[in-house]
Amino acid sequence: MSDPTASPPTLTPSRYTYRQLQLLRHGSTATPLRIIAHIDLDAFYAQCEMVRLGTPRDAPLAVRQWESLIAINYPARPFGITRMLTAAEARKLCPTIVLQHVATFREGEGGRWAYRDDSFKNIKTDKVSLDPYRAESRKILETIKDDLATWSEDGQTKRLSANVEKASIDEVFIDLSPLVFSVLLQRYPELRATSQDENRDAELPRPPTTAVEWNEDCLIDLDANETEEDDPDWDDIAMRIGSEIVRSVRKAVWEKLNYTCSAGVARNKMLAKLGSACNKPDKQTVVRNRAVQLFLAGYKFTQIRMLGGKLGDQIRNFFGTEQVSELLNVPLDQLRAKLDDHTATWLYNTIRGEDRSEVNPRTQMKSMLSAKSFRPSINSIDQAEKWLRIFAADIYGRLVEDGVLENRRRPRVITLHHRVTAQSRSRQMPIPASNTIDEGLLFDLAKILMRQVVAEAQAWPCSNLSLSVGSFEDGVSKNKAIESFLVRGDQAKSLSQAGRPRVTDGLSDRPPEKRRKVDENNGIDRFFTKPPRPSDDGATSSKGTPELEQLDPTSTAEAPSLFSSEEGIEDISTAQYTCSRCSQVILEHERDEHEDWHFAKDLDNQDREEARTTQSQSRIAPAPNARGRGGRSSRGKPEKGQRRLAFQ
DNA sequence: CACTACGCC
DNA sequence: GGGGCGTAGTG
């Protein structure tokens, strides 16, 4: 398309190829044209209260939890109010500030949370509820998805859509690559595939523009060797489109729900995340590829995701600096000398702006926790059980919103954490699959776990207690009453084992005392969660072959093993699933083929990549531990560029 | 399975 | 800095 012979004087070709453009389509992590957004609600809990109470946007407000503040809105910040202040101190600094206490559960009030005037005085009987914020978070997420969907209608061929990863209650990552791809093709027909597809390594034609209009976007300054006068290349155009989509999303969130948020747009998650924090509140920041080096060089690496904790401390101690700019001078070998290979390469790439971690299409919680710290500690099982009852009600309420009643999603494991001063311990057990989950069941299971803990070690004074559920499985038997076909042996077993300290009636008591060996629980767990399992003595998976059969590249994170036994409940021939890599809806029976395709593509990308960077080292070492042993465990999960180097 | 680390409001 | 979340990795 671009005819090199007729090139105008100063026209260099694009730095990008058809291949790199094409990789955008399915959100490959390998292309430099990739566009990732990070969106972060401004002082989220505080905004929730502003919206709920209908306070003016410019009125100072903070969210209070007992005597401390957990969120401070932007209008309050010029008064010097920070999260480390007490409510009284805050009021001194800003007499007009609204200090709204979080909603609470209260002992003996039926497991319903409420906003109460006197909750801050009742730390002894109340338990914080973050439910109102979770509910708002859900609405916002839906609004984001809805707006993204309007960008998916590209009129032609496939409907491409964006992966959305809920990173926390108030943050999402979005992989905009497929949307940007289709907008690019609409606006620049010269990019469309032609007969010269064959030569995918050919450079793209130059964009027809000499300047990009960034409107209100905040831009990170270009690297020293770049100037704004240089003509834009396709990465700039792609960023601009990404930024346009983000602006539209933010507008929708504002117009529909009255929340402001800040966003970062860049070529990967790390940069997008750093970018979103650059201009707050209510702004979006674009980190162009040509700005990355200067941008990062100005940071302390301890501000980069994953480096804020002990790892960052270690690195600072090893190399005597926390400046990215100085760490850039440390060659890879020297990083390797101090850090394990994986971490060293990860760090080396990260401070150079390379991050191939994927945007996981996950918007649902993987666990739910309800907790309480005791400020005088508690000292009896009676006291503990009062809280367990509240925890159970709290969690049950959330499960209902999550769809337990309709059997859409169901946790398989329940865990109790217990802390006596510095020492913390936890116990977990399967949630019997035969029971319908309700408050009572959760409470009874919690009591069992509590008794185990108490029987085992010094349990008092207890300074912290929490209950959580997790290991969700979803899509379990849509409408059929699950109990109806679980009868026979299965049920018999589940009742006789997990249900042993029966749950309904006046449990015959007799805490399992001495024979609560790990083995036994293990057996129960195996029964409920993983159908068949090859003998488990590690070793067997030393190298090649076992890996092969579990390669199963993509997600499936929660799909398999639902139909725990012989009865293959549903008709699989029409079942569908959404591919976590490209968000296409695929027929179940085409799954293998589809995943193979991704797999091949990844290998291709990887090869290409390794050819370019001298140091390989990836093909030999499967992470020595984890990975290979159980029959199942961490099958596919796309996160974190590093998977499946294990073979070939 | 129990524990630890990390990150966020 | 602490309470109350949530996620992922390790042996």
Side-chain angles (χ1 to χ4, degrees):
Chain A
M1 322 198 73
S2 74
D3 180 359
T5 62
S7 67
T10 64
L11 196 64
T12 55
S14 167
R15 298 201 305 279
Y16 302 103
T17 66
Y18 281 91
R19 180 187 306 279
Q20 291 171 329
L21 174 64
Q22 210 50 38
L23 287 177
L24 267 190
R25 176 187 262 273
H26 293 118
S28 162
T29 62
T31 172
L33 293 172
R34 189 151 95 110
I35 303 293
I36 307 296
H38 179 256
I39 300 183
D40 193 340
L41 276 292
D42 300 318
F44 181 52
Y45 294 178
Q47 270 203 90
C48 288
E49 297 302 343
M50 292 163 69
V51 168
R52 185 179 69 87
L53 299 169
T55 61
R57 296 298 307 180
D58 57 359
L61 178 151
V63 178
R64 173 176 186 178
Q65 178 177 293
W66 316 130
E67 285 312 318
S68 46
L69 308 181
I70 57 172
I72 291 125
N73 75 354
Y74 281 83
R77 296 187 188 192
F79 292 87
I81 295 174
T82 72
R83 297 206 316 188
M84 282 168 291
L85 300 181
T86 64
E89 291 164 339
R91 225 186 292 277
K92 227 174 271 172
L93 290 173
C94 177
T96 64
I97 193 172
V98 176
L99 297 178
Q100 173 61 52
H101 199 278
V102 295
T104 58
F105 297 95
R106 182 162 292 176
E107 202 179 302
E109 294 198 8
R112 305 272 296 183
W113 55 261
Y115 282 96
R116 311 168 197 272
D117 297 338
D118 59 347
S119 48
F120 66 95
K121 294 185 240 167
N122 289 77
I123 189 170
K124 293 249 176 66
T125 54
D126 286 16
K127 148 139 189 52
V128 165
S129 171
L130 300 182
D131 258 14
Y133 311 136
R134 294 192 189 95
E136 292 302 282
S137 178
R138 268 194 295 273
K139 292 201 289 197
I140 291 165
L141 189 63
E142 285 317 301
T143 303
I144 290 174
K145 285 177 167 174
D146 287 349
D147 192 71
L148 287 172
T150 69
W151 289 83
S152 296
E153 294 149 7
D154 70 343
Q156 47 165 0
T157 63
K158 308 234 163 57
R159 290 172 57 90
L160 303 174
S161 63
N163 278 347
V164 179
E165 174 179 335
K166 178 168 183 162
S168 78
I169 194 166
D170 77 324
E171 281 175 76
V172 293
F173 287 102
I174 309 173
D175 190 342
L176 295 170
S177 303
L179 299 185
V180 168
F181 175 83
S182 66
V183 173
L184 270 174
L185 291 204
Q186 277 171 50
R187 294 189 187 168
Y188 304 93
E190 67 265 37
L191 293 179
R192 294 199 180 149
T194 67
S195 56
Q196 68 162 220
D197 274 14
E198 307 313 328
N199 188 7
R200 309 182 92 212
D201 291 317
E203 285 122 355
L204 294 166
R206 199 77 200 186
T209 41
T210 59
V212 176
E213 282 258 344
W214 291 99
N215 303 327
E216 308 121 87
D217 293 353
C218 302
L219 289 179
I220 299 297
D221 289 343
L222 294 177
D223 294 343
N225 55 337
E226 305 279 347
T227 80
E228 296 289 353
E229 285 70 42
D230 293 335
D231 286 345
D233 204 336
W234 289 111
D235 56 338
D236 299 307
I237 309 283
M239 286 282 169
R240 173 59 228 273
I241 294 170
S243 189
E244 211 178 311
I245 299 172
V246 166
R247 186 163 298 283
S248 142
V249 166
R250 290 178 52 235
K251 184 160 178 274
V253 171
W254 170 252
E255 286 177 355
K256 299 201 173 143
L257 301 171
N258 261 256
Y259 287 91
T260 68
C261 52
S262 302
V265 181
R267 69 165 176 237
N268 60 44
K269 286 168 82 171
M270 174 205 43
L271 293 169
K273 166 110 192 185
L274 287 176
S276 70
C278 285
N279 294 284
K280 308 186 95 170
D282 201 18
K283 295 265 183 345
Q284 61 190 70
T285 303
V286 179
V287 188
R288 290 166 292 179
N289 288 353
R290 292 185 294 146
V292 167
Q293 301 312 319
L294 185 63
F295 177 61
L296 277 178
Y299 274 92
K300 296 175 175 174
F301 57 74
T302 46
Q303 296 177 256
I304 295 175
R305 208 162 58 117
M306 310 304 312
L307 295 175
K310 298 204 165 176
L311 177 56
D313 287 349
Q314 254 183 281
I315 295 171
R316 182 183 43 232
N317 293 337
F318 284 146
F319 303 103
T321 179
E322 54 182 9
Q323 295 300 133
V324 168
S325 53
E326 294 185 39
L327 201 59
L328 284 168
N329 298 323
V330 180
L332 182 57
D333 313 357
Q334 283 180 40
L335 296 182
R336 286 234 183 93
K338 299 290 194 180
L339 305 164
D340 71 77
D341 274 16
H342 183 268
T343 309
T345 14
W346 176 83
L347 178 63
Y348 184 88
N349 290 326
T350 298
I351 62 178
R352 285 165 177 77
E354 289 295 327
D355 165 23
R356 298 227 173 151
S357 58
E358 310 202 24
V359 173
N360 271 347
R362 182 180 48 73
T363 54
Q364 299 208 303
M365 289 296 152
K366 292 183 158 180
S367 66
M368 293 176 188
L369 174 142
S370 188
K372 173 89 180 166
S373 299
F374 304 116
R375 302 206 347 248
S377 302
I378 58 169
N379 285 289
S380 73
I381 199 143
D382 268 9
Q383 285 178 297
E385 287 184 356
K386 292 214 170 105
W387 291 107
L388 293 182
R389 188 179 290 287
I390 290 178
F391 295 165
D394 178 9
I395 288 174
Y396 178 67
R398 291 194 251 159
L399 285 173
V400 169
E401 308 213 11
D402 206 48
V404 254
L405 295 183
E406 302 84 0
N407 283 325
R408 280 203 308 271
R409 255 161 81 78
R410 173 189 235 274
R412 286 180 301 193
V413 177
I414 182 168
T415 306
L416 181 95
H417 284 257
H418 172 278
R419 194 163 81 220
V420 37
T421 60
Q423 253 291 39
S424 95
R425 66 186 79 236
S426 69
R427 285 294 172 260
Q428 71 179 49
M429 73 186 291
I431 298 170
S434 51
N435 297 63
T436 44
I437 294 181
D438 61 16
E439 276 178 66
L441 176 62
L442 294 176
F443 179 50
D444 289 332
L445 296 176
K447 280 191 293 192
I448 293 166
L449 293 169
M450 186 72 207
R451 275 158 220 228
Q452 288 183 9
V453 168
V454 170
E456 248 170 52
Q458 190 52 46
W460 318 108
C462 169
S463 60
N464 189 95
L465 207 53
S466 74
L467 188 67
S468 64
V469 297
S471 294
F472 282 84
E473 64 184 351
D474 52 12
V476 213
S477 96
K478 293 244 183 299
N479 302 318
K480 339 251 169 197
I482 188 169
E483 302 84 4
S484 66
F485 60 82
L486 246 190
V487 284
R488 297 192 313 276
D490 283 356
Q491 180 144 36
K493 267 182 261 174
S494 56
L495 286 179
S496 70
Q497 299 200 36
R500 176 184 2 141
R502 271 172 318 285
V503 282
T504 47
D505 55 318
L507 34 143
S508 65
D509 245 347
R510 204 47 332 171
E513 268 314 5
K514 64 153 286 118
R515 40 61 212 257
R516 70 130 274 131
K517 290 273 64 151
V518 198
D519 275 322
E520 199 171 320
N521 264 337
N522 217 1
I524 296 170
D525 176 53
R526 190 168 316 173
F527 174 74
F528 281 108
T529 59
K530 23 209 168 196
R533 194 158 95 171
S535 67
D536 205 43
D537 54 350
T540 57
S541 69
S542 59
K543 267 276 151 47
T545 43
E547 305 293 345
L548 266 179
E549 63 213 27
Q550 54 169 263
L551 62 92
D552 177 34
T554 50
S555 87
T556 74
E558 55 270 296
S561 89
L562 288 193
F563 310 128
S564 51
S565 51
E566 317 76 24
E567 46 257 284
I569 304 162
E570 276 196 342
D571 179 9
I572 243 181
S573 67
T574 60
Q576 296 181 332
Y577 80 106
T578 303
C579 174
S580 66
R581 304 288 300 282
C582 61
S583 295
Q584 283 188 62
V585 175
I586 305 291
L587 286 175
E588 193 61 52
H589 68 266
E590 289 173 354
R591 186 183 200 121
D592 286 348
E593 184 189 346
H594 182 76
E595 287 176 351
D596 285 349
W597 177 80
H598 274 301
F599 180 62
K601 192 160 69 80
D602 285 346
L603 271 188
D604 185 44
N605 294 340
Q606 219 171 283
D607 286 346
R608 209 165 296 285
E609 182 54 20
E610 281 173 3
R612 216 169 42 69
T613 64
T614 46
Q615 26 98 10
S616 72
Q617 74 98 32
S618 47
R619 50 185 55 235
I620 18 182
N625 39 11
R627 210 63 182 120
R629 45 161 191 264
R632 56 177 240 112
S633 77
S634 55
R635 309 242 304 172
K637 50 110 203 293
E639 186 79 89
K640 277 257 171 62
Q642 96 292 34
R643 76 281 132 172
R644 70 180 157 282
L645 343 123
F647 60 108
Q648 291 294 21

